[in-house]
Amino acid sequence: MKGNRYLKYKEACEKFGVCRNTLMKYDRPGITIRIGRCVRFDEDALTEALQAEQGGKQ
């Protein structure tokens, strides 16, 4: 099992150049994990989801 990197909202916004509201659309199992009230995004899963959405718009 490889070690996934989990990003905070701010880190994900900066890395992918999207706003917080855009990331909220991806707040679902498989892409995010919750630790109490904290939300973390699985970097690999979020990358795939954003690429899939971008591919569908072309």
Side-chain angles (χ1 to χ4, degrees):
M1 179 178 188
K2 68 178 182 173
N4 291 347
R5 178 154 187 239
Y6 294 97
L7 306 172
K8 297 178 183 178
Y9 266 106
K10 184 176 180 180
E11 294 170 328
C13 288
E14 291 172 358
K15 179 172 178 72
F16 296 105
V18 297
C19 68
R20 185 179 178 99
N21 289 339
T22 300
L23 290 178
M24 287 179 172
K25 294 188 329 185
Y26 297 98
D27 185 356
R28 57 182 176 255
I31 297 177
T32 59
I33 61 165
R34 292 184 176 275
I35 305 166
R37 291 182 49 195
C38 297
V39 176
R40 298 293 184 263
F41 293 88
D42 181 319
E43 186 176 16
D44 295 336
L46 184 58
T47 300
E48 288 177 23
L50 288 169
Q51 287 175 348
E53 181 178 293
Q54 215 173 32
K57 289 185 177 182
Q58 291 179 354

